[in-house]
Each structure stands twice: as C-alpha cells, then as structure tokens.
Amino acid sequence: MANTNAPFGFRQYSGTGSAPTYEQVSVLIASTDTTACFFGDPVTPLTSGYVTRASSSSSSGNTQIAGIFVGCQYLSVAQKRTVWSNYWPGSDNNGDVTAYIVNDPNAKFVVQSDATGNAQADVNANVGFTIGSGNTANGISGAYINSTVYTDSSQPFRIISLVTNPPGSAGTASGAYNWVIVAFNNVSPKQLTGI
C-alpha cells in the first residue's frame, strides 16, 4: 500500500527526557512576530534573543535550528485571558509569546519525506526541510524533509533510520512520502562555545 502525502512536522520519537515533555524548554516569540508556528515546526534563533518559525532549508543548508516547536502560551486580546495552544496563530497577543520547544541535542523525530522519498542508503546523510502548510484546525505542522541528501554538516537534520515497523503501517512503504527518523545536526545547544 502506498504512503499518503500527509506531512505532520517533526514528531518526537525519543530523547534524553521522557514523555510527555521530553525536556522541552521555554523561549520567547516577539510580540510583533506575525509568522504562524505550528506543532512540529522547526524554529530558528534570532539575534534579538527571540525565535521564529524557520524558513525552508534546501540545498543551501546553513539553517540554524533552535528546536522543534511544541506549543505556546500568550495573553489573548480577544479572550482576555491566557491561552495555551499547540500553535501560534501570529496574532491576538498582548506582549511576547512564551513558546515551548524541544532542543535536546539527543532528541530524535519521526518526519515524512517528500514525493521522492528516502532509501536505506540515505541513513547517516544530512537533509534539509520544507515548512509546508500548517493546519489551523488542529495546529499540526505541514513540515517534511527533503529527499536530497548531503554529506556536509550545514544541513539541519541527519537521517538516523527509516520507519519500517510495523509492516504495512502508515509511512512504512518504500518510496514517496515514507517516514524517517532524524536527529538534529546543528541545533543551537550544540553550537554553544565558551561555557
């Protein structure tokens, strides 16, 4: 049975911590940032100290990842209360947004590949990603990885393995839109120096 084209972003697979938080940390999205951010989207650090949803990363690489977005809280202007949400809509806030990300350098994520898919020969290679369209009804990301692989370490993710079990389940067929397990290649905590 062929795989379905239904990207869901980067879904936590394992890490140093344990479910349900996997050692998530809080960071800030600037009050003026109108870029929507969905559950499972990669976020990138800004020189201002804030984070924002990352732009797609293809052959150019060099996209610094701060972590994977897993939710937020903000003071809603419309509802006059603090809202906890699994995605940031890009508006309706009074002040900065507290975002929660997974940035554990040992974290691994399940993610869908593109229309070409990835093969066993791609394991241990590096890849970029495409953001895709998030779902505003459920807050889930539309991000997926690109099938083109690289040997340089500037790409943000590394393929650890393919999802093959249980046989016949979603994403386990070889080829287009198969699911892979990736790890951070250049997450911010790995780049810290002088500490």
Side-chain angles (χ1 to χ4, degrees):
M1 185 169 131
N3 299 314
T4 302
N5 181 16
F8 47 83
F10 291 79
R11 185 181 299 160
Q12 185 81 40
Y13 178 75
S14 69
T16 304
S18 59
T21 62
Y22 289 103
E23 295 188 358
Q24 67 188 12
V25 297
S26 63
V27 293
L28 292 177
I29 296 173
S31 60
T32 55
D33 189 341
T34 58
T35 304
C37 195
F38 295 83
F39 186 97
D41 275 346
V43 295
T44 189
L46 301 173
T47 57
S48 60
Y50 293 99
V51 300
T52 190
R53 188 190 72 200
S55 298
S56 297
S57 167
S58 57
S59 60
S60 60
N62 301 319
T63 298
Q64 179 67 55
I65 299 297
I68 301 298
F69 182 88
V70 292
C72 64
Q73 66 168 333
Y74 58 93
L75 181 59
S76 166
V77 174
Q79 299 182 46
K80 309 287 190 283
R81 65 178 180 88
T82 298
V83 171
W84 296 79
S85 177
N86 67 336
Y87 88 105
W88 163 236
S91 62
D92 186 36
N93 59 304
N94 181 356
D96 292 340
V97 175
T98 300
Y100 299 99
I101 64 171
V102 174
N103 68 351
D104 173 8
N106 297 314
K108 295 179 179 64
F109 302 90
V110 174
V111 62
Q112 181 178 291
S113 65
D114 63 16
T116 301
N118 288 100
Q120 184 64 33
D122 298 334
V123 171
N124 296 320
N126 303 315
V127 291
F129 62 91
T130 300
I131 285 295
S133 299
N135 185 329
T136 57
N138 62 20
I140 303 298
S141 169
Y144 54 92
I145 62 163
N146 304 322
S147 60
T148 303
V149 297
Y150 300 89
T151 56
D152 66 278
S153 60
S154 67
Q155 298 298 321
F157 296 98
R158 175 174 294 233
I159 296 176
I160 302 301
S161 66
L162 305 180
V163 175
T164 57
N165 286 309
S169 64
T172 58
S174 61
Y177 312 120
N178 64 331
W179 295 3
V180 299
I181 298 170
V182 298
F184 290 123
N185 206 28
N186 64 4
V187 69
S188 293
K190 287 187 174 181
Q191 301 297 311
L192 297 177
T193 58
I195 296 177

